[in-house]
Amino acid sequence: MDIKDIIKPENLVYKKTDHMTDKVLSYCPGCGHGTAHRILMEVIDEMGVRADTIGVAPVGCSVLAYDFMNIDMQGAAHGRAPAVATGIKRCWPDKFVFTYQGDGDLAAIGTAETIHACNRGENITILFINNGIYGMTGGQMAPTTLEGMRTTTSPYGRDLESMGNPIKITELIANLPGVHYVTRQAVHTPRYVRRTKKAIFKAFDIQKNKKGLSFVEIVSNCNSGWKMTPNQSNIWMEDNMFPYYPLGDIKVDGKIINE
Amino acid sequence: MDIKDIIKPENLVYKKTDHMTDKVLSYCPGCGHGTAHRILMEVIDEMGVRADTIGVAPVGCSVLAYDFMNIDMQGAAHGRAPAVATGIKRCWPDKFVFTYQGDGDLAAIGTAETIHACNRGENITILFINNGIYGMTGGQMAPTTLEGMRTTTSPYGRDLESMGNPIKITELIANLPGVHYVTRQAVHTPRYVRRTKKAIFKAFDIQKNKKGLSFVEIVSNCNSGWKMTPNQSNIWMEDNMFPYYPLGDIKVDGKIINE
Amino acid sequence: MAKVIGAIVVDEEHCKGCEVCVVACPTQVIGMTDRVNSKGYHIAYMETPESCTGCANCAIVCPDGVITVYKMKKEA
Amino acid sequence: MAKVIGAIVVDEEHCKGCEVCVVACPTQVIGMTDRVNSKGYHIAYMETPESCTGCANCAIVCPDGVITVYKMKKEA
Amino acid sequence: MTEEIIIAGFGGQGVLSMGKILAYSGIMQDQEVSWFPSYGPEMRGGTANVTVILSDNRISSPILRVYDTAIILNQQSMDKFEEAVKPGGLLIYDGNGISNHPSRKDIKICRVDAAAEAAKLGNTKIFNMIVLGGYLKEKPVVKLDNVMLGLKKSLPERYHDLLPANEKAILRGQEIIQTIE
Amino acid sequence: MTEEIIIAGFGGQGVLSMGKILAYSGIMQDQEVSWFPSYGPEMRGGTANVTVILSDNRISSPILRVYDTAIILNQQSMDKFEEAVKPGGLLIYDGNGISNHPSRKDIKICRVDAAAEAAKLGNTKIFNMIVLGGYLKEKPVVKLDNVMLGLKKSLPERYHDLLPANEKAILRGQEIIQTIE
Amino acid sequence: MKEIRLMKGNEAVAEGAIRAGADAYFGYPITPQSEVMEYLMLEKPHERTGMVVLQAESEVASINMLYGAAGTGKRVMTSSSSPGISLMQEGISYMAGAELPCILVNVVRGGPGLGTIQPSQADYFQTTKGGGHGDYRLIALAPASVQEMFDFAGLGFELAFKYRTPVMIQTDGLIGQMMEKVELSEQQARITEFDQSWATTGKTPDRAQNVITSLDLDSSRQEQHNIHLQKKYQEVADNEVRYETFDSDDAEYLFVAYGSSARICQKAIELGRAKGIKVGLFRPITLWPYPMKELKAAAAKVKGILAVEQSAGQMIEDVKLATECNIKAEHFGRMGGMIPTPEEVLLALENKIIGGK
Amino acid sequence: MKEIRLMKGNEAVAEGAIRAGADAYFGYPITPQSEVMEYLMLEKPHERTGMVVLQAESEVASINMLYGAAGTGKRVMTSSSSPGISLMQEGISYMAGAELPCILVNVVRGGPGLGTIQPSQADYFQTTKGGGHGDYRLIALAPASVQEMFDFAGLGFELAFKYRTPVMIQTDGLIGQMMEKVELSEQQARITEFDQSWATTGKTPDRAQNVITSLDLDSSRQEQHNIHLQKKYQEVADNEVRYETFDSDDAEYLFVAYGSSARICQKAIELGRAKGIKVGLFRPITLWPYPMKELKAAAAKVKGILAVEQSAGQMIEDVKLATECNIKAEHFGRMGGMIPTPEEVLLALENKIIGGK
Ligand SMILES: Cc1ncc(C[n+]2csc(CCOP(=O)(O)OP(=O)(O)O)c2C)c(N)n1
Ligand SMILES: Cc1ncc(C[n+]2csc(CCOP(=O)(O)OP(=O)(O)O)c2C)c(N)n1
Ligand code: SF4
Ligand code: SF4
Ligand code: SF4
Ligand code: SF4
Ligand code: SF4
Ligand code: SF4
Ligand SMILES: [Mg+2]
Ligand SMILES: [Mg+2]
């Protein structure tokens, strides 16, 4: 049977959503940012809420997110996306507002804004891409960098004594009463992509029902920063990141899940 | 027996430590700041470590702490005391370094500096005076202001929906591995003053032994901001603050205490 | 029994040759071309098209979203 | 049996009249003067000096640290 | 007409609100007014003062070095502001707690023992209204009607039952003020 | 002597390090040098270029509009920099991936197919050294000895075993470069 | 009937914002301006007009909340005092770069550092020359009365939206804390149907996505953006200069002063004229754009200028640039929260300008 | 033997700090200056000299760590680029107010806002006029070569401690990212026995407590403190002006430019002189104190000045103030990360100054 017979509009199974623009993603080959972008846009597409959605891009590799997500967006200052989102949401309580932030952005310079938006229970969704490094600026140590991990500012490996502990900000904010849903996911295999998409769906649903803040962490690779090929980096991530940042729901319906 | 016979140097039982200056405290009558200052100075006095101690004052009612504590001190920018203390301690690892901070200072504007100094496990001591209000600036709502509490910026009572939840920053930072000792105390009765002093002793001892960060919260009154007499405010504090901010050790020897 | 058969189309100019799709395909359909596109990247392609089930795993996981997937029932 | 007897000295100019010491004293020794100091504050004083045990509770809790405490054994 | 006044005393004496009532009264009779307080945490337990200007014309500087009238309610303020009264001006003070009485000869000095009077009346809250009454006796820059209107404006509605007591206090102040030779 | 060079190509082609070796070589023979790269995230997968200046005198501007020599390693760079060669100057390029070959008549144009050669030698890492060799054949601005010293300086010690391969590559570049009419 | 009230400057700017139809206020307490938010909270503007008021966790959060809300086309305001305004500098630069309208209020206090809480005008440079990074300008309005505190809220929004740029209301503890009579204008409706051509309110099928950003990694496009900004600033400079003069017609000497210093100078003029000194006042109302041409013209008619500013001498630079150094011009000021008296100001004129060589 | 290296500007300032005996560096990554901290981390200065290097959680934290360490008498440095420097403004004002010595490095990029990561000089106003609040000044050194990046670390500490004031090394992405030959000076020992008369190192019985603060709620004392600061700044202005001239002896026209623009102007001079245009360069090395007298003198000998700056025109104000508007002076610059070429600069001179009326 000829392939041409299969490739027909009526047989279409999967195609990039038109909520993504046609621009070439500025990400390195194999970087999880692209996948995360796409499934987020799929959710907005499938929920049919583009006209009611305002996204907030961070400063990080995804600083140009608005070049790729074909929705209304604002570029926030480094770390301040939750404050920007608060400003938007308070004026437009019926719109969907999300932030998309890296680990440096959310867990270093933006710590106060993150904690307080969560504590106020702003009815927004935070997407948190944790790749354990500052990708954008060339691979410096992030608050989430693992012990012993080499980065350009921890060239001999992160030393807990002098550089502090990799922070589990997600577990931390889960303790705040204003936070309704907290989960940690990944996008490096089809299975996890599907799960993460479901989590994002859930987060937007919570926002729709005005139940408070939802927080979706995506543990992701930064093959450039980690100095690996994409597939190597995904394996390394499973072996090293997931044990420290275990995947799964952390808080559901306002209640922390205790394993 | 005549009182004059009792009031003799050899019968002296208690006297303000000379580690306090003779200046009149700038605090309102009955404010807990004064007591907290004094027992802190007593600890430094009794440990004999004045020559090795550098304190960091915040911006808040205790902005002039250095006028009253007769030790070397720095006045930090609002909220930044933990960063200032980090700067000092990293250069002088063998000195005792403490910060003395209000709830607005530590838990609002200074959230990021607090969390990250704790997360790095800086070997310093943080004294945290939680009076549920911004005393200095005239009684505005603080992050720790209780639900329903009236302040100049919550004149109809704190509304959780729009103003967020009173934050338990102390429980939050107790989750961070760099933090060794966390306790919540009070200074409104002699019994609690003695306990709190012991806690401060312990904190300085931990610092001496380089075990990591110690964090002593003191739930205190702000009778001016609360618009009560001092004794009224202390009763109100017991009835309202303590149930939400329960006293006692939260983390000891690096382990969280579970009741 | 009707067997399902699939096919993928890779946007060759936009493929970045990351090979994430290669390991994601449950039936090892995908290989990489020797030639490169104008950006200098090798390109994913169906090396064994007959094994494609149209499961879309490759497309779902492709960071650049350059894979389109088709599927039809093939009469046995 | 040697009974203990105490006494307190209040720095009158620096007392702020907050009355925290009053409620802290286990033997209700302390009262407040009618007169005020130059700052306009009433001043804590020993209303019933004979009850003072020199326990220092008042001094420990005085926010302004203006109480000095003395104590001696009184032969019964 | 322009009247430039400083009112100075302890934080709790109602200095600022007295100035506010005066300013409101001026507005009630279509005057220009300005009111500038000392502010900030140093007020805590310390002194407080407020500069009030009433004028028929646009007011230039809201802060001044010399005043037509100084109303002085404690010793610190006396030390600071006795010299600031313009020659020919007026100084009013409450004798309570004053150890060094004013001694200038080129100004008019009046004494209104409002603290004692308020204590006598068993209502320390009206202290500042007694002082105000004394002042208005000496300088009727605003009409009593307008003062009462001003008071009404500046008091929250729930306190309006206190208006009569305040009026009485003003009248009492007018009675007890005395000129010192 | 002053030689102003632009080296331009893809991010992964070793453009910056080639410039660095050149600069180091200059230092080895006591010249003044400057090296200014394009920088930042737009380099990610994009183009990279570096301006290198070697001179016997203090160097003024480290960035230029026109160059004595342009070394061009992809089509984008060709589009951008062919015009930037000074009349009488030199343009060296690798033909791999070039669709529009340079056409200027007022400059010297040389081609060094380093990519193909490197592939032939089975070591893509020496690509830029082959190019460098070609350049040095045309403009021996630095002596080979000094280049080798420069290489040594700019390579971390643990890579010093690669020095012979690099030297060979330079020599090979000198052989394969050809002038285009 | 005119609605007249006795208000603090801080309260007036808050009421002015409500009445101008502000959509949101985000702020953080700091003396001497905390009454702005306190007044708003007490007034429940959410019930009056639907206006949102939120106490942020810091000034950094405030300015970024402003950014977010402004980016959706809303009329937003914040207020702070010197140290808090310094913390906002990154955000202010972002808002200028992203062309977001808003009102910032700086109730200046004495610096540097924590300084004092008393009035000062030492943030002139910060506001007019660029406290943040990059080439941008703030329209800076300097009220000299409580009435203007009220009025400039409305004017501020008008200018901010006309030019899509942040407007600073630059005042100080004196104007913020003092009470004066204010004539209130009527409540303007909040604008709910507005020009959303640039605002991020949700992409609808009939238009392309809207993006709010100050980033363009492509330098030549970034330069084009900067050229666009500079053109806009030129337009503002051409059209929005505001100033006022007093007793300047026959003046031989001129005070140049803004805000509270202008008020003090007016009294000094009264005192001076009583002594026979013909002195007038030139009062810039817009600190940027500075009334360059207008001051130059005014200066041409006098013998000397005393620039009075509660600072070590900042505005004097603009006075010199405006007058092209063609006239004797000196600075007089007090620092650290000290307010000059009218007498001092007059004396300085006599010593530095009239008596000076 | 001289130690010679090929280094980036960013690396040179880091190595310069180590060799000048720096005690600590606190910083946060940002392009185009991240190599400063990366270099330090790689060099393990803790092992070389005992110097502490810590990556902070933000620029706000960095500057306040600096404050703490500097308050104990230590030699401390941070570096950042425009948006990060804006975030430090409160802290910088505090350090100036508390009279704390330190080195700040601003590797300027295009703004406003997030802007671009390419070189710019548009933070001149921020650094020289006061980005933070209150009356304070930074000593601002503008290196024009990698060698000076190295040298000015040492010079910076010297000046910072001589005057107890923060020193800004104001540079840009061009100088930070380019490599040149650097002659390294010898390692200076870290100073462990230093003047602790003011530093907070723990109160000993032989001295009163030391306090580091910028607060004084008493305005008259705060004013005294400000007067003290102003006197100090005057002393700096009198003694620390640095500048350099090129080809100015016979020049009929002058470029005035600092840092990377000065380098570009030098090439423009080569091109200009080749065409017979007698043009020279006046290069301020200290941006504050600005070489006022020196530029005035130099200007007296020429027909016109072109101020070249990668901005919309900031330094031009100081050029005008220095020359008292007595000479034709125009600004030429590019913005948003665009670097002018020597050819453009020369053309601008020909059009705006030589050809202009
Ligand atoms: C105020 C400020 N400080 C620093 C930077 C530089 N900067 C840009 S992105 C970034 C970190 C990015 O890391 P992360 O948030 O983890 O995102 P990633 O690139 O890894 O996705 C930094 C420090 C900046 N733009 N602004
Ligand atoms: C950057 C900055 N923002 C705001 C302020 C104003 N301010 C001074 S103290 C304070 C809050 C004090 O409250 P808290 O920390 O709880 O201390 P307390 O007075 O209650 O002891 C604020 C907001 C400031 N000084 N600096
Ligand atoms: S640097 Fe890392 S995070 Fe950024 S695009 Fe590349 S792989 Fe992704
Ligand atoms: S305002 Fe409150 S916290 Fe401050 S001194 Fe008074 S009682 Fe204490
Ligand atoms: S995952 Fe996508 S980009 Fe990567 S190789 Fe496959 S098709 Fe190409
Ligand atoms: S659709 Fe499924 S089977 Fe076909 S190539 Fe993709 S992953 Fe393989
Ligand atoms: S010492 Fe003890 S008994 Fe004596 S007055 Fe004080 S509290 Fe009372
Ligand atoms: S507690 Fe101290 S200040 Fe308060 S009344 Fe007693 S003695 Fe006076
Ligand atoms: Mg990251
Ligand atoms: Mg508090």
Side-chain angles (χ1 to χ4, degrees), chain A residues 59 63 78 80 104 108-109 134 137-138 140-141 152-153 155-156 162-163, chain H residues 28-31 34 37-38 41-44 54-55 57-59 87 114:
Chain A
V59 181
V63 69
H78 189 34
R80 317 308 175 190
I109 191 168
Y134 288 9
T137 39
Q140 294 82 7
M141 184 178 71
T152 56
T153 53
Y156 307 103
S162 64
M163 298 167 179
Chain H
Y28 188 77
I30 183 170
T31 310
S34 298
M37 183 163 48
E38 290 173 357
M41 287 293 190
L42 207 58
E43 279 296 309
K44 295 188 191 176
L54 180 64
Q55 179 172 337
E57 62 270 30
S58 69
E59 292 86 355
L87 279 173
L114 192 50

Side-chain angles (χ1 to χ4, degrees), chain A residues 103-104 129 131 133-135:
Chain A
D103 45 342
I129 309 297
N131 56 14
I133 206 160
Y134 288 9

